[in-house]
Amino acid sequence: MTRLNIVLLLAVVASAMYLVRTQYESRLLYTELDRAVAEARRLETEHERLQVEKRAQATPLRVEQLARARLQMRTATPAITQYVSDPLPASEGKP
């Protein structure tokens, strides 16, 4: 009878140790999940901020100002436009 009690006691202690270990791992995983969710939230906020900034940078007025200031471009007018014509008539150039 004492042998059976010792075996049962060892089984209870082993299962208790397994339960404690499982709970500890569960808490670690929950903490890791919480951190991952917070990081995902932070990245989503950063993405939205960058999208707004990108839209603000790509406005036509801003692009035109940058083209004039940095690239020294100017608006095309008929006075500075050069037209190029095809030297061959349409019927001669194509088989």
Side-chain angles (χ1 to χ4, degrees):
M1 187 71 174
T2 58
R3 224 181 242 178
L4 180 62
N5 287 342
I6 291 174
V7 170
L8 290 176
L9 178 64
L10 289 175
V12 168
V13 169
S15 67
M17 294 299 285
Y18 180 74
L19 177 66
V20 168
R21 180 174 172 247
T22 305
Q23 286 179 339
Y24 176 73
E25 288 176 357
S26 174
R27 287 184 184 124
L28 286 178
L29 288 174
Y30 182 77
T31 303
E32 190 175 329
L33 175 66
D34 192 40
R35 284 186 192 137
V37 167
E39 178 70 10
R41 206 174 302 126
R42 185 190 67 77
L43 289 173
E44 182 65 30
T45 304
E46 178 75 8
H47 177 69
E48 290 173 7
R49 185 188 66 78
L50 289 173
Q51 291 290 59
V52 168
E53 187 176 323
K54 178 180 157 185
R55 283 192 295 271
Q57 295 290 327
T59 60
L61 180 61
R62 177 156 167 54
V63 171
E64 184 178 346
Q65 288 173 347
L66 287 174
R68 288 181 190 275
R70 291 189 183 167
L71 303 176
Q72 290 139 8
M73 297 175 84
R74 57 186 176 183
T75 306
T77 62
I80 61 170
T81 304
Q82 295 180 1
Y83 296 97
V84 179
S85 61
D86 190 8
L88 295 175
S91 61
E92 290 180 21
K94 299 190 182 190

